[in-house]
Amino acid sequence: MSAIGTPMKRREDPRLLTGEAKYVDDIQVPGQLWMGMVRATVAHATIAAIDTSAAEAMDGVFAVYTGADLQEMGLWGAPLPCAWVVTPDMANPAHYPTAVDEVHHLGEIVAVVLADSRYRAADAAEAVVVDYAELAAVPNLDAAMAGAAVAHSSLSTNHAYHWPLVPDPDALEAAFANAAHTVTAEFVQQRLIPAAMEPRGVLAVPSPYGGDITLYSSTQVPHILKVMVAATTGISEAKIRVVAPSVGGGFGAKLNINPDEMLAVALAHRLGRPVRWTESRTEAAGSTHQGRGQHQRIELAADAGGKLLGCRVHIDADMGAYMMLITPGVPLLGSFLYTGVYDVPAFGFTCDGWFTNLTPTDAYRGAGRPEASYAIERAMDLLAAEVGVGPDEIRRRNFLGGGDRFENLTVASTLVFDSGHYGPNLDRALELADYDGLRAEQQRRRAAGEPVQLGIGLCTYVEICGLAPSRALGGLNYGAGGWEHAVVRMLPTGKVEVVSGSTPHGQGHETTWSQIVADKLGIDPADVTVLHSDTAISPLGLDTYGSRSLAVGGVAISMACDKVVDKAKVIAAHLMEANVDDLVFENGAFSVAGTPAASTPIQAVAFAAFTAHNLPDGVEPNLQEQVTFDPPNFAFPFGTHVAVVEVDTETGGVRLVGYTAVDDCGTQINPLIVEGQVHGGIVQGVAQALWEGVHYDEDGIIKNPSLMDYLVPSAAEVPSIRTDSTVTPSTSNPLGVKGVGEAGTIGSAAAVMNAICDALSPFGIADLPMPASPQTVWRAVESARATTGGAS
Amino acid sequence: MTVNGQPRAAEVEPRTLLVHYLRDSLGLTGTNIGCDTSSCGACTVHVDGEAVKSCTVLAAQVAGAEVTTIEGLATADGLHPMQQAFMDCHGLQCGFCTPGMVMAATSLLREHPNPTEDEVRLGLEGNLCRCTGYHNIVKAVLACAGGGA
């Protein structure tokens, strides 16, 4: 039986279910020092004075260091890295792990304490007194653009960069000049807190005499972290080992190179003592990067029948106070997707990045693509209303390839979509959601004038996965490649070890990889062990983000298996005294074509390769192969989501009562895991539409930093989700896989907001800001009633 | 107190939270800490059979009580039926909320042996998960209830 395509239960689960799994905070070492952070309580100020004397006098306190102390100690080889300098003239103020003279956002580190316990470190950090001389803060994008205050005293403007993608300006101009219909819409992508359930944490364990250091980190990117620790601290890269033990979710928030982690490493290395730190949830609101933070303007031009002629987009993006690892590049990741699944002849995108005195933004589940999908999918609903057709019809009229299957199609943003088949995917979603029945129920409620109205929202999204072809990244000035590395080795006993460069934090790599290897080598998945997340075991890798693990890392494993079989075949032919070209490999054994009875299992070949007693001339012992796969193209998953909401027009309350998702992520290795990714992704996008958003006041202070008032949804707020899939294999890799980690989030915010606006369309309400809180909805309804005298 | 059936005695600072006593003193690190406002439920354990957020209880407050953590659920015969249901239904991904979620779910079924879907959702309101969208967690709890656990 084929393992690929089977909904196998996850091998990771028993250790996670029993508490046996070790997250960073679970690992204790003798002699460790707890680091406590003194963080800025204001958004923009000069540091007038820091009094550490009370903290230093406390029991159990080992040391207190201010930013100035640390600078004097010469701990830093370079500032914290930004790997994506999107334009040559991009402003990039130096970002060191601690502020020295001036703080630029709430939560920036101004001093650290080291103490002998968790509690004492926290107490001592509290006892440090910082005297700030406050400067005018830039508390939001509007203020950044207005420029009355500047976020960094060292800069003359808040403007960080301008990035254009306008392949044919004349064609774009002509499209709008010739349009029968145009739609212009502005949307705000509010800032979001990623809120992985495991807060970030780090434990740095030095070997003072050996000179090496081991860093246990709750990270998505152990390999990138290793390089960046070397760059930031000046410790030799070859002396650094990074281990990501069990990691409790990431969603992008754990792919950064963070000040607190660098402090732990640098201090542990300097002091020769283990140093640890675990973030508190409320601390994280200021100290871990946030997602989104964009103002979007999208214009569509269409002919009389609603067929798109052009799409013009401008983004103002909130960088926050500093450029972190890929801060400036996040809007670019979305730039290519503003024409969605549609055939748009002319396209133009521009983005301006701006500094504010807020926590930096960076990747959060979807990173640029949920924003793009939201803008085009909301705008398509507005165009449907303008043209006077349904939201399903406007989409059908504009699908790439006319909704028929296509391969390797160049779209207006210059990318080549690997494969798509949008028409049947939409059909299936509408059928599964009972779209006609929902519309009938909506009509009934409207006719009856019921206070609780029904809204139905569609989103037909496409996204970019499989990050990334290294040359494409080079073309975008990204500072690294996009390949992934894998090793497959057969052990003398016939078991298999796989070394994966891509690292999991909940995605179930061990299960999925074992399924690929089992099929490729014709063995039992239980005979496959997957090793990962430790740079001493897996020295090469580019880690996990951008839904890349399967489409790049999984493919590398598959290709390494092919190489193992190729070598085994040569050995098998020698052992069987057959011609290698006459051998076939089926069900884990080699045989001469036509005579399957005389076969040699691959395990026997592995043993022969190990003993090396009787190998062909020129063949090295052992069965181990490695592959570094650099994908020739991205992968473009797509799907249709249908959200159903009830909107109480008397209270403003919105309840998500139904959700249907039909996703197409190409070939599926483990449908159980695919579905799980879809479920979780959807709820994260729904949360942006309905509940989540960071609230800053005019001084740049976060008003909702804890989980008491930052509304991560519970089970009680969301419904069960109806899922199905279509399968359109990718042409970008031999497995035909695309990726599914972010798809749910990319489809769901737009679907939910389209549903809410659909419910309120009789009131003349075309758009609402996210999150659509009861107060927002109630005010919109009341305002509409005041101006129109009620629902039409 | 008794923790997972074993008598435990210690002198602790008065302010020591139960969760820190379990994790740092007893090395029972299966109980996780996901927030600082008693919002996320990752630290849920049983105290005398009731689900309790162990970040909201002082260790000293439960002197004499019977505490069960996630490490006390599975037996030599294998996983507890709730743990098995979570595995069967893919009710976990990163696993960080999972110990607390499983402890809350077993407590929920003790009080409501045959809950509706809505009752499960409301019953788990105090436990946050960022990975699963709750779909498969709810499915697991309903499956476990159906299985007579």
Side-chain angles (χ1 to χ4, degrees):
Chain A
M1 196 181 86
S2 172
I4 289 179
T6 306
M8 281 183 68
K9 292 173 196 170
R10 298 198 323 168
R11 57 173 58 190
E12 292 87 347
D13 289 356
R15 64 176 187 258
L16 296 167
L17 279 159
T18 53
E20 184 181 287
K22 294 286 180 219
Y23 299 88
V24 171
D25 195 66
D26 301 343
I27 302 166
Q28 306 287 325
V29 294
Q32 63 191 7
L33 293 168
W34 288 84
M35 195 165 54
M37 301 300 180
V38 182
R39 293 185 182 275
T41 54
V42 295
H44 195 195
T46 52
I47 299 169
I50 301 181
D51 182 356
T52 60
S53 56
E56 282 166 343
M58 292 170 84
D59 282 348
V61 172
F62 177 84
V64 183
Y65 302 109
T66 66
D69 294 338
L70 295 165
Q71 200 179 43
E72 259 174 47
M73 289 160 72
L75 286 183
W76 311 125
L80 295 166
C82 173
W84 204 341
V85 180
V86 294
T87 59
D89 61 350
M90 182 187 91
N92 184 17
H95 184 198
Y96 284 95
T98 45
V100 178
D101 304 315
E102 183 173 321
V103 298
H104 300 100
H105 68 87
L106 179 83
E108 186 168 5
I109 302 165
V110 296
V112 295
V113 302
L114 294 173
D116 62 2
S117 82
R118 213 188 276 268
Y119 288 7
R120 283 171 161 174
D123 286 345
E126 287 269 309
V128 174
V129 181
V130 185
D131 185 9
Y132 295 104
E134 287 200 53
L135 300 168
V138 181
N140 52 52
L141 256 179
D142 286 331
M145 292 186 278
V150 179
H152 286 259
S153 298
S154 61
L155 300 176
S156 58
T157 168
N158 295 312
H159 188 250
Y161 69 84
H162 176 77
W163 192 84
L165 172 69
V166 189
D168 188 342
D170 294 340
L172 188 61
E173 202 66 36
F176 278 87
N178 297 328
H181 297 287
T182 58
V183 164
T184 301
E186 297 189 352
F187 304 114
V188 174
Q189 297 286 334
Q190 76 271 35
R191 281 172 163 259
L192 300 175
I193 293 176
M197 290 318 300
E198 182 204 16
R200 290 190 301 110
V202 62
L203 167 63
V205 183
S207 161
Y209 299 102
D212 52 329
I213 188 157
T214 301
L215 175 62
Y216 299 89
S217 172
S218 178
T219 182
Q220 296 172 228
V221 293
H223 299 91
I224 294 171
L225 182 55
K226 178 178 167 175
V227 177
M228 295 305 181
V229 166
T232 306
T233 65
I235 301 169
S236 164
E237 186 183 346
K239 295 286 188 186
I240 301 164
R241 174 184 172 201
V242 177
V243 181
S246 285
V247 174
F251 313 112
K254 293 178 182 172
L255 60 64
N256 234 311
I257 307 304
N258 290 289
D260 21 57
E261 289 200 40
M262 292 306 117
L263 281 165
V265 182
L267 287 171
H269 186 69
R270 178 62 62 91
L271 301 172
R273 293 272 302 265
V275 173
R276 72 177 315 135
W277 169 77
T278 301
E279 186 176 59
S280 82
R281 180 63 60 186
T282 304
E283 181 180 20
S287 61
T288 292
H289 76 245
Q290 299 174 3
R292 318 291 187 250
Q294 296 181 4
H295 290 185
Q296 305 169 297
R297 176 186 167 90
I298 182 168
E299 298 166 86
L300 299 181
D303 69 14
K307 180 80 189 65
L308 287 164
L309 302 172
C311 171
R312 185 157 53 201
V313 177
H314 179 73
I315 304 298
D316 289 300
D318 178 357
M319 304 288 100
Y322 295 105
M323 298 301 193
M324 295 195 68
L325 194 65
I326 65 164
T327 299
V330 169
L332 277 59
L333 283 171
S335 67
F336 299 98
L337 288 180
Y338 277 88
T339 53
V341 290
Y342 310 115
D343 185 4
V344 186
F347 173 63
F349 172 94
T350 50
C351 175
D352 286 292
W354 302 89
F355 289 112
T356 57
N357 289 119
L358 308 179
T359 291
T361 57
D362 206 303
Y364 171 53
R365 202 169 194 171
R369 289 104 81 209
E371 297 94 311
S373 172
Y374 185 85
I376 181 64
E377 288 301 294
R378 288 284 300 116
M380 287 303 279
D381 267 27
L382 297 174
L383 179 64
E386 166 80 18
V387 174
V389 300
D392 53 334
E393 180 58 24
I394 198 75
R395 287 169 167 80
R396 280 186 210 285
R397 287 185 190 182
N398 285 289
F399 276 153
L400 284 164
D404 296 333
R405 183 164 181 155
F406 65 80
E407 286 187 354
N408 305 325
L409 185 66
T410 303
V411 303
S413 64
T414 69
L415 292 184
V416 178
F417 281 14
D418 57 346
S419 64
H421 199 185
Y422 303 147
N425 182 274
L426 171 62
D427 293 342
R428 178 63 187 133
L430 296 184
E431 177 196 3
L432 192 61
D434 184 22
Y435 188 69
D436 293 340
L438 289 167
R439 286 289 175 206
E441 170 62 11
Q442 181 182 50
Q443 280 311 316
R444 190 193 67 72
R445 291 192 194 194
R446 283 181 181 172
E450 290 187 10
V452 178
Q453 287 290 313
L454 198 68
I456 305 132
L458 302 184
C459 174
T460 48
Y461 74 89
V462 62
E463 71 128 328
I464 307 181
C465 285
L467 305 184
S470 296
R471 285 181 183 174
L473 292 179
L476 290 168
N477 286 332
Y478 182 66
W483 48 263
E484 194 49 86
H485 185 74
V487 178
V488 174
R489 73 172 71 99
M490 291 204 70
L491 304 177
T493 56
K495 308 293 182 190
V496 177
E497 280 179 351
V498 175
V499 182
S500 167
S502 152
T503 61
H505 35 281
Q507 297 89 341
H509 285 36
E510 293 176 24
T511 302
T512 304
W513 292 178
S514 74
Q515 290 178 252
I516 294 172
V517 173
D519 266 20
K520 283 284 182 178
L521 300 182
I523 61 175
D524 186 337
D527 286 345
V528 183
T529 294
V530 180
L531 307 173
H532 55 79
S533 305
D534 179 343
T535 60
I537 292 170
S538 155
L540 292 175
L542 284 174
D543 308 318
T544 295
Y545 46 86
S547 302
R548 69 188 303 274
S549 286
L550 179 57
V552 190
V555 171
I557 288 165
S558 167
M559 294 169 77
C561 289
D562 290 339
K563 285 175 78 172
V564 166
V565 171
D566 286 348
K567 179 174 177 180
K569 195 180 212 177
V570 172
I571 299 170
H574 179 74
L575 296 174
M576 297 167 79
E577 297 179 346
N579 189 325
V580 70
D581 295 330
D582 294 337
L583 284 193
V584 291
F585 181 62
E586 280 175 346
N587 301 319
F590 294 94
S591 59
V592 175
T595 56
S599 70
T600 303
I602 194 165
Q603 291 88 345
V605 179
F607 188 70
F610 166 70
T611 63
H613 293 163
N614 181 21
L615 295 179
D617 289 345
V619 172
E620 287 182 17
N622 289 314
L623 267 188
Q624 167 174 298
E625 295 294 339
Q626 59 179 332
V627 164
T628 305
F629 177 57
D630 196 347
N633 189 9
F634 300 94
F636 297 86
F638 58 92
T640 303
H641 288 197
V642 184
V644 186
V645 297
E646 285 186 341
V647 181
D648 188 327
T649 59
E650 292 177 346
T651 66
V654 176
R655 183 150 186 87
L656 183 68
V657 293
Y659 203 97
T660 301
V662 178
D663 295 278
D664 192 322
C665 59
T667 306
Q668 298 186 11
I669 307 298
N670 185 324
L672 190 68
I673 288 177
V674 168
E675 263 189 31
Q677 289 290 318
V678 169
H679 294 152
I682 285 170
V683 170
Q684 267 175 306
V686 169
Q688 178 178 11
L690 293 180
W691 304 294
E692 294 184 21
V694 188
H695 301 307
Y696 280 99
D697 71 10
E698 286 302 304
D699 297 320
I701 305 300
I702 302 174
K703 306 309 285 181
N704 58 342
S706 81
L707 286 177
M708 282 202 298
D709 36 26
Y710 184 86
L711 301 178
V712 171
S714 80
E717 277 85 47
V718 291
S720 283
I721 295 164
R722 207 176 284 149
T723 54
D724 196 3
S725 54
T726 57
V727 176
T728 309
S730 175
T731 59
S732 299
N733 62 71
L735 287 178
V737 297
K738 292 196 170 189
V740 74
E742 296 158 296
T745 308
I746 290 166
S748 54
V752 171
M753 288 305 294
N754 280 344
I756 295 171
C757 294
D758 178 57
L760 296 176
S761 61
F763 292 84
I765 295 169
D767 191 35
L768 285 172
M770 295 188 287
S773 68
Q775 191 174 68
T776 297
V777 173
W778 182 82
R779 283 188 175 175
V781 171
E782 287 303 300
S783 159
R785 281 188 167 133
T787 51
T788 67
S792 55
Chain B
M1 72 180 83
T2 307
V3 180
N4 299 333
Q6 291 188 353
R8 299 283 194 170
E11 292 266 331
V12 297
E13 257 191 277
R15 62 176 173 168
T16 304
L17 298 173
L18 176 58
V19 69
H20 286 139
Y21 175 67
L22 294 170
R23 290 177 53 81
D24 295 346
S25 301
L26 303 185
L28 294 170
T29 54
T31 303
N32 291 325
I33 302 171
C35 75
D36 42 16
T37 48
S38 298
S39 307
C40 80
C43 65
T44 305
V45 300
H46 294 175
V47 174
D48 293 332
E50 297 250 3
V52 161
K53 291 181 177 177
S54 62
C55 72
T56 317
V57 180
L58 298 172
Q61 281 178 290
V62 298
E66 273 185 38
V67 176
T68 307
T69 71
I70 192 69
E71 288 92 345
L73 270 200
T75 64
D77 296 334
L79 297 177
H80 181 278
M82 186 63 76
Q83 291 169 318
Q84 189 63 50
F86 268 65
M87 182 163 173
D88 293 346
C89 298
H90 187 30
L92 66 153
Q93 290 180 29
C94 83
F96 195 78
C97 77
T98 306
M101 199 66 83
V102 167
M103 297 309 282
T106 52
S107 171
L108 173 69
L109 287 198
R110 202 169 296 144
E111 289 170 33
H112 302 280
N114 289 297
T116 63
E117 179 182 332
D118 281 350
E119 284 169 344
V120 171
R121 288 184 177 276
L122 280 172
L124 295 179
E125 198 176 25
N127 290 71
L128 298 179
C129 168
R130 198 60 156 167
C131 293
T132 64
Y134 303 102
H135 182 101
N136 286 339
I137 290 175
V138 172
K139 198 169 155 185
V141 176
L142 289 170
C144 190

